[in-house]
Amino acid sequence: MATLDVPSESIASDSNYSENTSNSSNSIHNTIKDLSDFKLKNILQNNSNRKSVYLSGTFDSKEGDAIVILEKTAFAEENLNNDSDYFTDKSHLEKIFQNDIYGDYKYFTRSKLNTIKTTIIHPATEKHIFKYSIQKCHIVDETPQIYNDIVLPYLTDEQFSLQWVYNILEHKSESERIVFEDVDPVNGFIMVPDLKWSGEIDTLYLLAISNRRNIKSLRDLTQEHLPLLKNIREKGIEVIKNKYGLEGTQLRIYLHYQPSFYHLHVHFCYLKHEAPGILAERAHLLSNVISNIELLPDYYQKVTLPFVVRENDKLFLALEQKGISKKL
Ligand code: M7G
């Protein structure tokens, strides 16, 4: 087993999204207006590259743990024009020092230009907390046998809730955010902005979610799914071109292995955006996937697929118990 330390946010993990908690009276999302009730317990991760922090804590008068993710957003080019508040006296500069022709300043701009993308998960399980904590990770070369004997049983037992996915497919949540829908039950899908996207074109990130509910991941894909995969690729590209003006050649279109959520979905990102989860050990380009299946219909049932597992994941323990780490 090869090991590496990475923020576990970028690797396969569970998320145990509780069934429809967003509709229950305990849900923070029904009432929250600010973070004054948030009581910080731990800084799980402070990612200076992504300018984001992952915090765990609780909310006064609400049961259960919470995770709050704060992320400074990218500049939106549409805000960079001579009429914008960047270039008026509504914002002010504080000089730090000047040396010859060089000056260093802090710039305090109007608060609307300083949006912090905020994701709140509540109630969060222990597994959510693991997901966003820095921890030791390992790469496992998953043979079909390891998948069938160890990973698949683990997934069946430990798979986290797909309620948020079904809410999208059934138009119960995010319906106003749907960018495109092909209602065909076999080859259709819904495209929505990904939770991680704060809306600037430079960081474009959309998700195509298959209407079919019986495809867990890359491992399940066969030639039977080629029409679905091609449909997602063709229509997804067309929609993004029409709505956001980006060509298909400017997009990174990929699946994760392992994914966090075992319902077939495809990530569409702007090529120049280094989104989390685009590294070699996790991202599989859709074109490659299609081509592999065209070459060999049961390619993904036969191939060894490396994936990253966190040391505190039950799956890692199961692999250790079967001696997988010693064999690798
Ligand atoms: P994944 O490959 O299963 O795992 O992708 P990852 O989360 O580790 O990348 C699932 C994708 O769904 C991710 O890009 C998430 O940001 C996104 N996502 C997760 N949730 C809970 C939601 C949600 O509620 N709404 C939307 N629109 N996207 C979500």
Side-chain angles (χ1 to χ4, degrees):
M1 232 184 252
T3 69
L4 75 168
D5 284 315
V6 295
S8 50
E9 172 249 355
S10 62
I11 61 166
S13 65
D14 64 37
S15 275
N16 277 331
Y17 282 83
S18 337
E19 302 283 319
N20 269 332
T21 42
S22 59
N23 300 327
S24 78
S25 58
N26 186 45
S27 173
I28 195 75
H29 302 294
N30 297 335
T31 49
I32 191 159
K33 296 272 188 304
D34 56 51
L35 291 178
S36 55
D37 281 349
F38 183 64
K39 293 288 164 290
L40 176 68
K41 264 201 223 160
N42 280 311
I43 300 172
L44 303 176
Q45 201 189 129
N46 183 356
N47 189 327
S48 56
N49 283 339
R50 295 203 176 278
K51 299 188 175 50
S52 56
V53 283
Y54 299 76
L55 311 171
S56 71
T58 52
F59 282 101
D60 287 347
S61 75
K62 292 285 177 197
E63 283 167 32
D65 288 324
I67 287 178
V68 173
I69 303 169
L70 304 175
E71 182 183 354
K72 296 201 178 181
T73 49
F75 285 95
E77 284 188 18
E78 57 271 26
N79 290 336
L80 291 166
N81 57 62
N82 285 326
D83 299 328
S84 86
D85 284 347
Y86 281 115
F87 310 114
T88 69
D89 58 5
K90 287 176 190 149
S91 304
H92 74 275
L93 287 168
E94 193 179 287
K95 188 188 276 182
I96 300 172
F97 71 89
Q98 177 191 352
N99 185 347
D100 189 33
I101 58 171
Y102 305 98
D104 189 24
Y105 300 86
K106 281 186 182 168
Y107 196 26
F108 298 93
T109 54
R110 296 240 312 172
S111 54
K112 283 220 162 147
L113 296 175
N114 283 326
T115 317
I116 293 182
K117 177 170 166 52
T118 303
T119 305
I120 300 174
I121 304 173
H122 175 268
T125 65
E126 199 183 17
K127 289 171 182 176
H128 286 102
I129 294 171
F130 287 154
K131 170 170 169 138
Y132 293 108
S133 307
I134 293 268
Q135 57 201 282
K136 200 166 233 174
C137 299
H138 302 265
I139 290 186
V140 178
D141 286 331
E142 183 196 81
T143 60
Q145 193 187 345
I146 293 175
Y147 175 72
N148 286 313
D149 293 355
I150 305 171
V151 178
L152 186 57
Y154 161 84
L155 295 182
T156 313
D157 289 351
E158 297 286 327
Q159 203 188 134
F160 46 87
S161 170
L162 295 172
Q163 192 58 49
W164 69 271
V165 174
Y166 301 147
N167 286 347
I168 291 175
L169 292 177
E170 292 164 17
H171 290 217
K172 289 181 181 163
S173 298
E174 302 188 49
S175 55
E176 67 297 340
R177 283 161 45 87
I178 292 176
V179 169
F180 175 76
E181 180 167 17
D182 173 344
V183 294
D184 186 288
V186 180
N187 296 324
F189 65 98
I190 285 188
M191 187 172 245
V192 281
D194 192 277
L195 179 65
K196 295 193 199 92
W197 188 28
S198 50
E200 297 82 20
I201 293 289
D202 279 3
T203 56
L204 180 131
Y205 196 151
L206 293 142
L207 211 54
I209 302 174
S210 155
N211 287 341
R212 284 177 69 170
R213 300 192 179 201
N214 60 350
I215 312 168
K216 287 187 287 306
S217 73
L218 207 51
R219 268 283 179 219
D220 287 344
L221 294 175
T222 66
Q223 67 179 356
E224 181 213 337
H225 305 111
L226 283 175
L228 166 64
L229 298 173
K230 289 181 177 177
N231 192 38
I232 289 179
R233 183 172 62 180
E234 276 154 35
K235 293 196 178 133
I237 287 174
E238 195 185 316
V239 167
I240 290 177
K241 186 175 177 183
N242 293 338
K243 193 166 166 72
Y244 303 103
L246 299 183
E247 298 292 334
T249 49
Q250 295 176 286
L251 300 174
R252 182 186 292 110
I253 308 170
Y254 58 97
L255 293 87
H256 277 154
Y257 197 76
Q258 304 274 347
S260 290
F261 301 97
Y262 289 85
H263 174 109
L264 187 79
H265 57 273
V266 179
H267 304 252
F268 284 71
C269 282
Y270 196 175
L271 193 53
K272 72 178 183 182
H273 173 47
E274 291 178 15
I278 60 168
L279 298 179
E281 68 272 17
R282 190 148 189 237
H284 297 252
L285 290 178
L286 179 60
S287 296
N288 248 335
V289 172
I290 290 173
S291 173
N292 287 337
I293 299 172
E294 279 173 343
L295 285 171
L296 198 64
D298 55 355
Y299 179 89
Y300 286 102
Q301 290 72 57
K302 286 188 167 153
V303 74
T304 293
L305 285 172
F307 75 90
V308 178
V309 63
R310 292 164 301 142
E311 215 171 79
N312 62 7
D313 195 316
K314 280 186 191 161
L315 178 57
F316 179 73
L317 290 179
L319 290 161
E320 285 253 289
Q321 277 162 9
K322 298 271 181 179
I324 301 302
S325 62
K326 292 183 191 82
K327 278 187 212 153
L328 291 168

